[in-house]
Amino acid sequence: MFKKLFRKKTIEKILLDAQRGYGEHDHSLRKTLGVRDLTAFGIAAIIGAGIFSTIGKASADGGPAVIFLFIFTAIACSFAAFAYAEFASMVPVSGSAYTYSYVAFGELVAWIIGWSLIMEYAVGNITVAISWSDYFTGLLSSINIPALDIKGIHLPDWMTMDYLSAYNGHLRAEALQKAGTNALNLDEATAVASNAWNTAPTIGSFHFVADLPALGIIIFITWLVYRGMKESRNASNAMVVVKLAVILLVISVGIFYVDTNNWNPFAPNGVSGILKGVSAVFFAYIGFDAISTTAEECRDPQRDLPRGMMWAIIICTVLYVAIALVLTGIVNYKSLAVGDPLAYVFDKIDLKLMSGIIAVSAIFAMASVLLVFQLGQPRIWMSMSRDGLLPKAFSRIHPVHKTPSFATIVVGFVVAVPSLFMNLTIVTDLCSIGTLFAFVLVCAGVLVLQNRPDVKRGRFRIPYLNSRYIIPLAFAALLVLAFTRYKQETLAFVTNEAKLNEPVTFVTSLDSVELATVRREISTFMAPVILPKGNIDAVAYLTDLKADRYAAFINQSKITQDKKYESGWALFKHKIPMWIFLAISVVIAVFCVTHKLSLIPVLGLISCLYMMCELGISNWIGFGIWLVIGLVIYFMYGYRHSKLRQTEA
């Protein structure tokens, strides 16, 4: 049975199936796409929530030096794009990493990667739909028509927010108020979430909180994708023109308001601060791989797919770096942790018209991302259905519109329902880890096939550079650097040295007696500063302390160590992904020496695996649960209905 789980499809068999129309499938997809269309799809997918939303949080964490994270992520994605391009040239059919893994690793791995891609596209679209809803409601509230006596259209908070955000905001508001924070002094996100929870209609103890604008945009995009590739392409191209024009306008106007003093210090939180934004920045790049799912609808996929991917990444990287420099130059990086950083920055310098233009363009930009992802996922399901791993209905092609009709409708439901209830941070990280896993396997697949003489090559092939000496030497150099310049941080990691909890984590973990103790200690510690009468806002005072003063306060506090520090297993579990990365890196270095692996896919594998490990243990657990669910479905249905299994039998 073990051997059957890893049975592989040959490239010749895949191409023959495509030529025959996949046997019982009478209708094929319409070939309408060229290089310009593919590049536009790539830009449509990449420039969306990343540049209009998550870039703010990443800039707040890393400061102006976040541009290096954009460049690093672009390079990592380029390595992966080379691998995608080589596979797309060899196997120019829909299916993306799923089909490529079927060739390189076999059926079980192909199922796992296909299941991961389902999460990437579905969860990615949930994220974008939530961000789109935020911009749309913000735009409605800014509408001002005196003649009609309209001073903003304000939807109730419970109608514009997901259930988890409202519930968590309510709990956070309660904890902060117990710690002495005045309700009027709550940060805006917490205040809005708490209000949504408290004002929502209730059925018993259930609070009806749902993001209805997100639902509306998903229904519209699903209808557009169902209608056909030509309609989707035209809509995507139009939206790309709009958002590129606005981004160039933002850069050309914003550059005149840049204060270079805001770039000093350039990396205020060091390397750790820059890397803190890995999830947000990587999420800004995902989507270029969705281009590969349109291979059957390209006029010349072997030539056009590689070019489309590369042009999209290059153009988007230049724009991301320019926008990050403008944003951090206009305002201090600390103030950028907002959901709409572009509009926020121009509002700060009193350019209301620019804020309005950005809000309108963001709606088009994020809708284009939804469009590309909603195009990609049904085609993954279609490919899995053609192989028998999913029911036959998923590969049904509409006789008029020439689209995978049933799969498109199901995708609409899969994205729409969770978008009403799921939290933005959760879905962003899950989307990123699923995508990175796909990138890792595609890069590994190229390495597996590099020396196989029986593999028919396409027109595009990654330039070969021998990694036999480069990777081991780089690995050794990094070890030396870790135990010299970064010796203290390295030893703290290896020895699992206890870590000081952040002020909010520390204060919100205290009970009422401990909280009273901390307030008395603050009164003593802050003397001779005159403190206000009444409750002391413990979070505000401790957050304002410099790092050394905060550490001094925590060390003299009478609160138990487990509340003050994270240590033992609670700390070590967060390091497990990094230990996995280090172990795999050693194995890769050995294989580079023994098998003379190609350098570019090796670099792609290592860099994507590293970013995957930066996402944290909770995301790995969530991803693991998703894979377990997928394996259950595979063994209950896919294994028994696999066409490759039936052919062998």
Side-chain angles (χ1 to χ4, degrees):
M1 180 180 176
F2 182 81
K3 186 177 180 181
K4 292 179 180 178
L5 291 176
F6 295 95
R7 51 188 164 230
K8 300 173 184 175
K9 291 184 74 173
T10 63
I11 294 174
E12 290 75 13
K13 174 73 167 64
I14 293 172
L15 296 177
L16 185 62
D17 283 346
Q19 188 179 357
R20 291 175 176 174
Y22 294 89
E24 71 273 16
H25 302 289
D26 300 325
H27 304 287
S28 59
L29 302 175
R30 188 174 286 133
K31 296 183 180 295
T32 59
L33 304 177
V35 174
R36 196 180 337 178
D37 301 315
L38 293 169
T39 304
F41 272 136
I43 295 171
I46 296 171
I47 296 183
I51 208 162
F52 286 98
S53 181
T54 56
I55 193 174
K57 180 66 170 65
S59 298
D61 290 331
V66 75
I67 64 168
F68 296 124
L69 185 55
F70 278 113
I71 294 169
F72 168 73
T73 307
I75 292 171
C77 287
S78 297
F79 292 148
F82 270 114
Y84 268 93
E86 179 163 326
F87 266 122
S89 184
M90 283 191 289
V91 195
V93 298
S94 294
S96 186
Y98 159 75
T99 302
Y100 310 155
S101 296
Y102 220 144
V103 173
F105 301 108
E107 186 171 284
L108 181 61
V109 177
W111 168 268
I112 290 172
I113 202 65
W115 190 247
S116 300
L117 289 172
I118 289 172
M119 184 172 73
E120 173 193 344
Y121 294 133
V123 174
N125 258 0
I126 293 167
T127 307
V128 178
I130 294 170
S131 296
W132 184 93
S133 173
D134 291 342
Y135 267 95
F136 180 71
T137 52
L139 181 64
L140 288 180
S141 65
S142 67
I143 293 174
N144 186 19
I145 309 175
L148 300 176
D149 197 27
I150 296 176
K151 295 180 180 178
I153 301 172
H154 301 281
L155 299 177
D157 289 334
W158 59 267
M159 197 184 288
T160 63
M161 182 172 295
D162 63 276
Y163 184 90
L164 283 177
S165 289
Y167 177 67
N168 291 336
H170 166 68
L171 294 181
R172 179 181 170 84
E174 281 191 340
L176 290 173
Q177 286 173 353
K178 286 179 183 177
T181 303
N182 189 294
L184 298 175
N185 294 331
L186 292 172
D187 62 274
E188 186 179 355
T190 302
V192 171
S194 180
N195 183 62
W197 181 262
N198 293 327
T199 59
T202 57
I203 303 174
S205 60
F206 178 78
H207 291 241
F208 185 81
V209 182
D211 199 337
L212 297 184
L215 175 66
I217 188 62
I218 291 169
I219 291 172
F220 171 74
I221 292 296
T222 302
W223 171 81
L224 185 61
V225 171
Y226 182 87
R227 289 283 301 170
M229 175 57 77
K230 186 177 180 180
E231 292 79 2
S232 301
R233 179 198 65 187
N234 293 340
S236 172
N237 290 348
M239 287 188 277
V240 166
V241 169
V242 170
K243 65 183 176 183
L244 284 182
V246 171
I247 289 168
L248 293 174
L249 178 65
V250 166
I251 295 169
S252 57
V253 172
I255 198 169
F256 293 103
Y257 292 86
V258 168
D259 179 0
T260 54
N261 291 324
N262 287 326
W263 290 341
N264 187 23
F266 200 72
N269 300 317
V271 175
S272 60
I274 296 171
L275 292 176
K276 200 173 180 182
V278 162
S279 174
V281 170
F282 180 74
F283 182 75
Y285 276 97
I286 66 171
F288 77 83
D289 59 313
I291 301 174
S292 62
T293 66
T294 65
E296 285 180 50
E297 289 143 294
C298 297
R299 290 191 288 268
D300 189 351
Q302 293 186 322
R303 183 197 68 184
D304 295 346
L305 277 169
R307 294 182 182 183
M309 287 183 189
M310 290 304 172
W311 275 118
I313 291 175
I314 291 168
I315 292 169
C316 293
T317 301
V318 172
L319 294 175
Y320 275 138
V321 169
I323 285 287
L325 287 173
V326 167
L327 290 182
T328 54
I330 295 176
V331 299
N332 187 278
Y333 72 93
K334 293 179 182 177
S335 64
L336 287 171
V338 293
D340 52 350
L342 268 68
Y344 167 81
V345 163
F346 284 98
D347 196 44
K348 276 288 185 183
I349 56 177
D350 206 29
L351 290 178
K352 307 290 185 184
L353 179 61
M354 282 293 294
S355 295
I357 293 172
I358 290 166
V360 173
S361 66
I363 288 172
F364 285 100
M366 293 183 188
S368 68
V369 180
L370 281 166
L371 177 64
V372 176
F373 276 30
Q374 288 294 89
L375 274 172
Q377 188 173 340
R379 285 152 180 78
I380 300 290
W381 289 14
M382 177 185 71
S383 295
M384 297 173 77
S385 173
R386 286 169 169 175
D387 295 327
L389 304 185
L390 285 177
K392 189 183 296 185
F394 284 94
S395 56
R396 188 183 302 148
I397 305 297
H398 196 282
V400 177
H401 302 311
K402 304 296 183 183
T403 57
S405 51
F406 179 78
T408 300
I409 293 171
V410 173
V411 165
F413 279 102
V414 168
V415 175
V417 175
S419 69
L420 296 172
F421 308 105
M422 288 190 73
N423 180 277
L424 184 62
T425 303
I426 293 173
V427 292
T428 301
D429 290 345
L430 281 176
C431 180
S432 295
I433 198 168
T435 307
L436 284 166
F437 183 65
F439 288 4
V440 166
L441 283 188
V442 170
C443 291
V446 170
L447 295 173
V448 167
L449 298 180
Q450 76 170 29
N451 293 322
R452 273 178 43 183
D454 59 321
V455 175
K456 183 182 178 182
R457 302 289 170 182
R459 263 188 272 173
F460 178 84
R461 189 171 183 182
I462 298 172
Y464 176 79
L465 296 169
N466 193 342
S467 64
R468 186 173 193 176
Y469 303 108
I470 298 174
I471 293 298
L473 286 174
F475 193 71
L478 288 172
L479 277 177
V480 172
L481 188 64
F483 284 98
T484 52
R485 185 170 180 180
Y486 298 102
K487 183 177 180 180
Q488 185 178 348
E489 294 89 341
T490 304
L491 290 177
F493 176 84
V494 173
T495 60
N496 203 39
E497 183 181 305
K499 181 182 177 184
L500 203 62
N501 279 323
E502 297 290 328
V504 173
T505 305
F506 171 62
V507 173
T508 54
S509 70
L510 305 176
D511 58 34
S512 57
V513 176
E514 293 169 328
L515 188 56
T517 301
V518 168
R519 283 181 177 144
R520 286 195 300 272
E521 291 174 341
I522 288 174
S523 300
T524 305
F525 192 76
M526 295 298 290
V529 176
I530 299 174
L531 294 168
K533 293 181 179 180
N535 284 344
I536 295 171
D537 187 341
V539 173
Y541 277 107
L542 295 179
T543 302
D544 287 341
L545 292 177
K546 290 185 177 179
D548 57 339
R549 290 272 289 165
Y550 175 63
F553 171 82
I554 289 293
N555 288 328
Q556 62 86 44
S557 177
K558 295 179 181 178
I559 303 300
T560 56
Q561 288 293 107
D562 63 305
K563 297 286 181 77
K564 297 191 291 185
Y565 288 90
E566 190 177 27
S567 60
W569 170 251
L571 178 62
F572 178 76
K573 66 183 180 182
H574 297 295
K575 299 177 180 178
I576 292 175
M578 191 52 65
W579 281 112
I580 292 173
F581 167 75
L582 293 173
I584 294 176
S585 295
V586 172
V587 173
I588 292 171
V590 171
F591 270 87
C592 287
V593 174
T594 57
H595 290 71
K596 301 179 182 178
L597 300 180
S598 178
L599 181 63
I600 290 177
V602 167
L603 291 174
L605 194 161
I606 291 174
S607 55
C608 290
L609 184 61
Y610 173 76
M611 289 192 290
M612 195 174 170
C613 294
E614 282 287 340
L615 293 177
I617 189 65
S618 59
N619 301 305
W620 282 63
I621 293 171
F623 182 56
I625 292 170
W626 177 258
L627 290 186
V628 168
I629 294 171
L631 289 174
V632 170
I633 294 173
Y634 171 72
F635 284 109
M636 289 180 63
Y637 182 89
Y639 177 77
R640 292 185 293 110
H641 292 83
S642 166
K643 289 186 178 178
L644 200 58
R645 176 175 181 262
Q646 293 169 1
T647 302
E648 290 177 353

